[in-house]
Amino acid sequence: MTNRDQWQQLDEEQYRVARCGGTERPFTGKYWDHKGDGTYVCVCCRAPLFDSRHKYDSGSGWPSFWQPAEGADIAELTDTSHGMARTEVRCGNCQAHLGHVFPDGPPPTGLRYCINSASLDFSPRGG
């Protein structure tokens, strides 16, 4: 079984981003300007990752959060690709690539979790 066969529920873009470490183009993902109330979950394993109450418009074109959801299992790795050092964030449960975290976010954390919509699904609160 190939890696692709293990993730049949993913479309090509989701697979490219979440399983191969790709990045979607800004302002194209379904959640960059999404306003729902609930939890953003991993598209691969459905683990809760980000709460909509921590989402804000960073102007970057990607969903941005100032912190992960309470109890979320987020793994951080050093990414030195593209000639720069960044902090990659992955789902700690299944290692799906989510995006990167930067130190230029709003209070209270000063962090900007810049996340690909293709790595996320949305679960409405109470639903």
Side-chain angles (χ1 to χ4, degrees):
M1 176 182 288
T2 67
N3 284 341
R4 181 66 179 114
D5 293 336
Q6 293 171 336
W7 303 104
Q8 283 300 311
Q9 79 273 15
L10 305 178
D11 65 29
E12 289 301 315
E13 177 75 345
Q14 290 169 327
Y15 183 80
R16 185 184 70 77
V17 172
R19 303 314 312 169
C20 300
T23 301
E24 64 196 9
R25 290 186 339 269
F27 303 102
T28 63
K30 66 182 178 178
Y31 296 123
W32 77 270
D33 65 347
H34 184 252
K35 305 287 192 243
D37 181 34
T39 303
Y40 293 88
V41 300
C42 178
V43 73
C44 296
C45 71
R46 308 280 309 157
L49 300 170
F50 297 95
D51 191 295
S52 63
R53 292 176 286 207
H54 305 142
K55 189 174 188 290
Y56 72 101
D57 182 3
S58 68
S60 68
W62 288 278
S64 297
F65 305 86
W66 49 267
Q67 74 178 32
E70 185 176 333
D73 187 1
I74 302 285
E76 295 187 4
L77 297 91
T78 300
D79 175 2
T80 57
S81 64
H82 306 291
M84 64 184 107
R86 302 177 291 172
T87 302
E88 177 187 7
V89 289
R90 292 187 187 181
C91 173
N93 186 55
C94 73
Q95 296 302 305
H97 171 74
L98 303 175
H100 293 84
V101 61
F102 301 98
D104 61 0
T109 65
L111 298 175
R112 173 174 55 101
Y113 286 83
C114 188
I115 307 300
N116 291 286
S117 290
S119 298
L120 301 173
D121 201 356
F122 184 74
S123 179
R125 202 172 316 281

